[in-house]
């Protein structure tokens, strides 16, 4: 049979198609299909672009896709199908092999183990650990030179533990937070030009204390007051002497105060 693309050829057995081959009008094979006794696609089917490069490499078992698969559209996707689910090793790359996504899928089709992500170039932009399809463990992001950019700890898809940003130039931490159940909870620190700039404490995603520094030296202390506002309670000069104390301050009931060995008002971390 002639088509606008070229022509097709069919082989029949007992009234059913058991082989189909199609060609472009330039003579290049489009695809060749083999079918079982009931006319269902069976075995490997390779489809080609007009220039002869492979467009897809799919496997069928009695009409159902099963086994190793490879598709080329905007990217090159390879995986294995089992009972209708993508399982095993998975990759998505550019035509030249630049990484978009690579990892392992369990028998339910969920991401498991370590996955790597990129932007289509030859470097890994992100690395994540999975369990049952959720991020579990470490999540790392990298600058284009391979140096660390961001680090987070997860439990069952939620941030839980340390979160750190890194300076591109010196590789040192520029910001650090603690999380509990996907909420900021615990100490945080921010550095600028190598000096501690801010530090404090979050409680259930609410900033309850902040210490502000000048060239690495403590300058001001803010605490959560009874109205739920962050209020300045202490001030210090460049020699470390306290120059201000808010005697009228009343704390928020959700926080417990203590005084450090140096006399700085602080908060107990629960």
């Amino acid at each position: 049979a002639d088509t606008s693309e070229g022509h097709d050829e069919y082989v029949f057995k007992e009234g059913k198609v058991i082989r189909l081959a199609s060609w472009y009008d330039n003579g290049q094979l489009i695809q060749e299909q083999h079918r079982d006794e009931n006319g269902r696609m069976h075995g490997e089917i390779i489809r080609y672009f007009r220039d002869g490069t492979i467009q897809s490499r799919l496997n069928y078992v009695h009409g159902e896709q099963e086994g190793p698969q490879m598709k080329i559209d905007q990217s090159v996707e390879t995986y294995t199908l089992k009972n209708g689910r993508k399982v095993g090793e998975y990759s998505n790359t550019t035509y030249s092999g630049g990484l978009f996504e690579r990892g392992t899928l369990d028998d339910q089709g969920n991401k498991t183990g370590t996955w790597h992500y990129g932007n289509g170039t030859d470097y890994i932009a992100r690395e994540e650990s999975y369990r049952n399809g959720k991020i579990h463990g470490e999540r790392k992001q990298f600058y284009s030179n391979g140096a660390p950019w961001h680090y987070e700890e997860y439990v069952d898809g939620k941030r839980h533990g340390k979160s750190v940003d890194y300076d591109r130039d010196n590789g040192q931490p520029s910001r650090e937070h603690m999380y509990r159940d996907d909420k900021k909870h615990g100490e945080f620190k921010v550095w600028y030009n190598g000096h501690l700039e801010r530090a404090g404490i979050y409680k259930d995603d609410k900033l309850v204390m902040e210490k502000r520094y000048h060239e690495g030296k403590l300058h001001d202390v803010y605490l959560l007051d009874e109205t739920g506002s962050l209020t300045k309670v202490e001030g210090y000069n460049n020699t470390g002497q306290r120059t201000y104390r808010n005697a009228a301050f009343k704390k928020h009931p959700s926080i417990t105060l203590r005084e450090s060995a140096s006399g700085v008002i602080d908060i107990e971390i629960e």
Side-chain angles (χ1 to χ4, degrees):
D2 291 328
T3 70
S4 59
E5 292 183 312
H7 68 279
D8 299 331
E9 289 184 359
Y10 299 88
V11 175
F12 293 86
K13 182 178 181 181
E14 297 179 357
K16 292 184 172 62
V17 176
I18 60 170
R19 178 180 174 274
L20 165 65
S22 303
W23 285 265
Y24 291 102
D25 56 11
N26 65 358
Q28 168 61 46
L29 182 67
I30 299 174
Q31 65 175 330
E32 182 178 10
Q33 298 180 7
H34 291 276
R35 304 190 178 190
D36 64 14
E37 64 276 9
N38 293 311
R40 297 172 299 189
M41 288 186 287
H42 189 73
E44 185 178 63
I45 297 174
I46 303 174
R47 188 175 179 89
Y48 299 88
F49 289 109
R50 179 178 286 271
D51 63 2
T53 57
I54 293 177
Q55 181 179 5
S56 64
R57 187 189 295 268
L58 308 177
N59 279 277
Y60 287 81
V61 176
H62 302 301
E64 301 291 336
Q65 280 188 260
E66 186 84 2
Q69 314 289 326
M70 187 274 284
K71 295 180 180 179
I72 298 178
D73 189 6
Q74 299 300 314
S75 61
V76 181
E77 187 181 23
T78 60
Y79 54 91
T80 297
L81 277 177
K82 182 179 179 182
N83 298 323
R85 295 190 179 99
K86 294 178 181 179
V87 301
E89 298 303 310
Y90 175 91
S91 72
N92 193 350
T93 67
T94 65
Y95 302 146
S96 60
L99 179 66
F100 289 125
E101 189 176 11
R102 181 174 62 241
T104 303
L105 299 165
D106 64 21
D107 286 344
Q108 301 303 311
N110 297 316
K111 291 182 178 181
T112 187
T114 301
W115 279 67
H116 294 106
Y117 302 87
N119 58 5
T121 59
D122 58 356
Y123 89 98
I124 295 174
R126 192 168 84 248
E127 178 183 296
E128 296 174 349
S129 296
Y130 285 83
R131 185 176 72 177
N132 298 324
K134 296 180 180 179
I135 301 178
H136 184 85
E138 297 180 333
R139 181 178 190 266
K140 303 174 184 177
Q141 290 178 271
F142 304 93
Y143 290 108
S144 57
N145 63 2
W149 170 23
H150 187 65
Y151 170 88
E152 288 181 314
E153 295 171 345
Y154 280 75
V155 174
D156 289 330
K158 295 181 179 181
R159 287 170 294 182
H160 193 93
K162 187 179 292 186
S163 174
V164 185
D165 291 330
Y166 293 91
D167 186 277
R168 183 187 183 97
D169 297 324
N170 60 31
Q172 297 301 309
S174 60
R175 183 184 300 267
E176 183 175 305
H177 283 92
M178 295 297 294
Y179 281 84
R180 186 176 73 179
D181 199 27
D182 219 27
K183 296 178 180 178
K184 290 178 182 177
H185 189 88
E187 294 182 294
F188 82 92
K189 294 179 180 179
V190 178
W191 292 267
Y192 181 73
N193 285 339
H195 295 295
L196 184 63
E197 184 181 58
R198 294 165 54 220
I201 295 173
Y202 278 87
K203 185 174 182 179
D204 292 327
D205 239 10
K206 177 75 173 178
L207 183 60
V208 296
M209 184 189 76
E210 182 176 15
K211 295 178 180 178
R212 299 177 185 178
Y213 295 78
H214 179 67
E215 295 183 348
K217 295 179 180 179
L218 181 63
H219 196 266
D220 297 305
V221 178
Y222 290 76
L223 293 171
L224 195 68
D225 67 17
E226 60 182 343
T227 70
S229 300
L230 210 59
T231 301
K232 182 175 177 178
V233 295
E234 291 182 329
Y236 293 81
N237 61 22
N238 290 335
T239 65
Q241 293 179 316
R242 185 164 57 205
T243 57
Y244 171 80
R245 189 159 196 173
N246 186 345
F249 171 77
K250 293 184 179 180
K251 73 177 186 67
H252 193 271
S254 66
I255 62 176
T256 301
L257 299 182
R258 63 179 172 82
E259 192 168 292
S260 69
S262 60
V264 179
I265 294 177
D266 226 330
I267 288 180
E268 296 284 355
I269 302 176
E270 299 175 4

